[in-house]
Amino acid sequence: MSEPTPTGARAQLLALARDNRALPIPGRSPDPSARRSAVLVLFGVLDTVPAATPATPNVAADLDVLLTRRSPDLTHHPGQIAFPGGGIDDDDGGPEDAAVREAVEETGLDPAGVEVLGRLGDLGLPVSDNVVTPVLAWWATPSPLVPDGTETAEVFRVPVADLVDPGNRRTTAITRGSETWRGPAFEVADRVVWGFTAMVLDALLDALGWSEPWDRRREIPVPL
């Protein structure tokens, strides 16, 4: 496959969103009575476009994705890398509105520059008894970012090329009692992306055809 251009990458994201299918992530079927949330998976074009490298010939090397680091003071998932997002309020127009609203609150981005492409299928999360809807979006006009300092400690943009680079891919492992759970992870920008966020990114890159083969035997402990 030839290297996607920004326009081509946006078209791929739009086509995936129009399918409205759930990513193949381990979990359970969404529970209609569970708490509902939405996250914004926001792709944009890097401010400085790097030259393509032989290690990542098929990646959308000029794109990035917006991530946050949750406050260490939060009760749930403190300090973890995440997509911006949160609970869907009664006065939200749906998951898309909730994802953008939460992203604005957490990161300070200008919603006028965000083009919502559509939603993916709901994902049931057994750990938090929550149903999460990933919302795909295109950052048509990037704006300055300022973390709210309450829920979000840091906001940053990760190049897609770094996420796809096999050298940055890992498998996390966590053992509780006699059981061990393993999942995909990324070591990028001096941070470890793991858990739900890493599972979504891993499945999304696969669905888009942007992934490169990587060694799943490179195992690291969960950074708790």
Side-chain angles (χ1 to χ4, degrees), residues 23 25-31 34-39 77 80 83 121-134 195-197 199-200:
L23 297 171
I25 293 176
R28 66 183 181 195
S29 299
D31 181 354
R35 187 170 66 94
R36 298 189 60 84
S37 300
V39 294
H77 311 295
Q80 194 166 330
F83 298 113
D122 293 341
L123 299 170
L125 298 184
V127 174
S128 58
D129 193 27
N130 201 2
V131 174
V132 182
T133 303
F196 174 77
T197 304
M199 288 190 289
V200 170

Side-chain angles (χ1 to χ4, degrees), residues 44-100:
V45 178
L46 287 164
D47 292 334
T48 302
V49 178
T53 64
T56 56
N58 297 329
V59 70
D62 46 3
L63 300 184
D64 60 20
V65 64
L66 182 67
L67 295 176
T68 71
R69 180 170 61 85
R70 291 169 58 82
S71 168
D73 300 325
L74 294 176
T75 302
H76 299 292
H77 311 295
Q80 194 166 330
I81 305 301
F83 298 113
I88 301 175
D89 293 343
D90 291 339
D91 54 356
D92 285 323
E96 293 88 348
D97 285 355
V100 173

Side-chain angles (χ1 to χ4, degrees), residues 12-212:
Q12 287 180 277
L13 290 163
L14 181 59
L16 188 64
R18 284 177 173 169
D19 282 349
N20 192 222
R21 57 188 169 94
L23 297 171
I25 293 176
R28 66 183 181 195
S29 299
D31 181 354
S33 65
R35 187 170 66 94
R36 298 189 60 84
S37 300
V39 294
L40 189 70
V41 186
L42 181 60
F43 287 90
V45 178
L46 287 164
D47 292 334
T48 302
V49 178
T53 64
T56 56
N58 297 329
V59 70
D62 46 3
L63 300 184
D64 60 20
V65 64
L66 182 67
L67 295 176
T68 71
R69 180 170 61 85
R70 291 169 58 82
S71 168
D73 300 325
L74 294 176
T75 302
H76 299 292
H77 311 295
Q80 194 166 330
I81 305 301
F83 298 113
I88 301 175
D89 293 343
D90 291 339
D91 54 356
D92 285 323
E96 293 88 348
D97 285 355
V100 173
R101 175 182 55 76
E102 287 281 347
V104 171
E105 293 174 2
E106 294 175 6
T107 73
L109 65 78
D110 182 353
V114 175
E115 178 190 2
V116 173
L117 302 177
R119 70 178 80 167
L120 299 177
D122 293 341
L123 299 170
L125 298 184
V127 174
S128 58
D129 193 27
N130 201 2
V131 174
V132 182
T133 303
V135 175
L136 289 181
W138 183 254
W139 210 357
T141 307
S143 56
L145 300 170
V146 179
D148 67 358
T150 302
E151 294 186 30
T152 304
E154 186 180 10
V155 185
F156 56 99
R157 298 160 64 180
V158 175
V160 173
D162 289 352
L163 294 171
V164 180
D165 185 345
N168 296 333
R169 301 299 304 268
R170 302 288 187 272
T171 294
T172 50
I174 180 170
T175 300
R176 288 176 177 158
S178 61
E179 292 189 90
T180 298
W181 288 268
R182 291 178 172 83
F186 305 81
E187 283 191 334
V188 290
D190 298 321
R191 305 169 180 90
V192 177
V193 184
W194 65 284
F196 174 77
T197 304
M199 288 190 289
V200 170
L201 285 171
D202 176 64
L204 188 56
L205 294 173
D206 283 348
L208 290 164
W210 296 352
S211 295
E212 297 292 333

